[in-house]
Amino acid sequence: MSESTEHPLLQCSGLTFSRVNRLLLDRISLEINPGEVVALLGPNGAGKSTLMRLLLGLEDASAGEVLVDGKPLQDYNRRDLATRVAYVPQSHVSPFPYSVRQVVALGRLCSTGLLGAMRPKDHLVIDEQLQRLQIFHLAERPYTEISGGERQLVLLARALAQEATLLLLDEPASALDFGHQARLLMKLKQLSEEGLAVVMTTHHPHHARMIADRALLLRDGQLLDQGKPQEVLNRSTMRALYGISELELDTFAAAGWEL
């Protein structure tokens, strides 16, 4: 993990969010630093997606603050924020048969603007990201005709084309087979070693153990614990986080999924 700068890439303090008199996030505080992979774990409804939306500026917090590069999130316009924070959704199927290259090119809109012409640098960045993720051979293929694992790499390439320093990913490996999961996770780890910060939600504690520097455990809108995955992802926290029994944990352990 690379050394941190004077301030974190992203910092939250006392982040709280309510909707229709229901508290969805309760005083969340965290920091994300360059070169760090952070895994966000928790059951369905824990507040993971809500937290992502707040970090992306798609929702306004009821209380608390989000800082990006030391500057309040609300002080950024959408284009400037996109050069710092990029988002990779859980899944995406285009209604139109865009080519893979065209999908990745959408990541350059923060540079060119909606109606701006592509410049030589933009084409270079697109080619670099296609090569970086080893999907250059798919460049002219219709995005709608490639596999789910390949589409996830294309979405990652689109995010990287923004040249942001922080990547937010919503369950990036959830719909992938075992091989594509492993390849995607290794790509994310490599990106962090190049200095990018990676935050991903996941339902798989072993994914966090594989590549994360830190795990954040969220339940009922509250941060239960955070720390190195090997330390905080234990039997006690799994019971508290997911409400599972010792017998259920023993069943997983018997299958080789030891905690």
Side-chain angles (χ1 to χ4, degrees):
M1 187 170 62
S2 63
E3 294 182 3
S4 62
T5 54
E6 293 181 2
H7 49 71
L9 285 179
L10 184 142
Q11 186 174 17
C12 303
S13 56
L15 202 60
T16 299
F17 182 76
S18 299
R19 182 185 287 130
V20 194
N21 297 322
R22 182 186 171 204
L23 185 62
L24 299 178
L25 286 178
D26 185 13
R27 294 168 293 176
I28 301 295
S29 296
L30 59 91
E31 294 182 354
I32 308 297
N33 296 299
E36 184 176 34
V37 178
V38 176
L40 179 62
L41 297 96
N44 293 332
K48 301 186 300 298
S49 295
T50 300
L51 178 57
M52 282 286 196
R53 291 181 63 82
L54 291 176
L55 299 183
L56 289 163
L58 300 177
E59 300 271 11
D60 294 325
S62 305
E65 185 177 44
V66 179
L67 301 178
V68 177
D69 281 339
K71 177 180 171 181
L73 182 64
Q74 63 269 23
D75 289 354
Y76 287 94
N77 61 44
R78 297 308 303 177
R79 282 182 64 179
D80 286 343
L81 183 61
T83 65
R84 292 164 173 82
V85 182
Y87 174 63
V88 180
Q90 182 178 150
S91 62
H92 173 262
V93 178
S94 172
F96 304 105
Y98 293 119
S99 71
V100 164
R101 183 184 297 278
Q102 288 173 319
V103 173
V104 176
L106 295 174
R108 297 305 298 163
L109 290 179
C110 59
S111 176
T112 65
L114 187 60
L115 301 177
M118 296 279 285
R119 303 158 300 177
K121 178 189 175 182
D122 299 309
H123 291 292
L124 180 61
V125 170
I126 293 166
D127 286 346
E128 285 177 346
Q129 303 314 326
L130 290 169
Q131 291 169 342
R132 186 184 205 176
L133 296 180
Q134 298 178 315
I135 54 173
F136 191 84
H137 63 288
L138 300 175
E140 306 309 323
R141 289 272 304 277
Y143 175 78
T144 52
E145 295 180 11
I146 61 178
S147 72
E150 290 167 337
R151 282 201 299 270
Q152 202 66 12
L153 289 175
V154 173
L155 294 178
L156 180 55
R158 182 183 68 179
L160 293 172
Q162 295 175 213
E163 298 185 293
T165 52
L166 172 62
L167 296 177
L168 301 181
L169 302 100
D170 187 10
E171 297 184 38
S174 63
L176 305 184
D177 64 36
F178 184 79
H180 277 113
Q181 285 183 24
R183 282 187 284 273
L184 178 63
L185 291 172
M186 290 303 99
K187 291 293 183 187
L188 295 178
K189 188 61 177 175
Q190 289 170 10
L191 291 171
S192 75
E193 291 169 352
E194 295 172 18
L196 277 73
V198 176
V199 179
M200 66 174 192
T201 65
T202 180
H203 282 302
H204 300 283
H206 288 78
H207 289 176
R209 284 190 166 196
M210 282 175 64
I211 68 167
D213 300 291
R214 191 153 43 100
L216 306 179
L217 311 185
L218 194 66
R219 182 178 175 86
D220 296 329
Q222 294 185 323
L223 195 59
L224 294 185
D225 202 355
Q226 64 175 302
K228 293 181 179 180
Q230 292 76 10
E231 296 175 358
V232 300
L233 295 176
N234 52 50
R235 295 176 73 95
S236 176
T237 56
M238 290 299 97
R239 289 199 307 271
L241 192 63
Y242 295 107
I244 53 181
S245 67
E246 281 290 340
L247 177 60
E248 290 165 325
L249 285 171
D250 288 341
T251 301
F252 278 106
W257 294 76
E258 184 177 354
L259 288 170

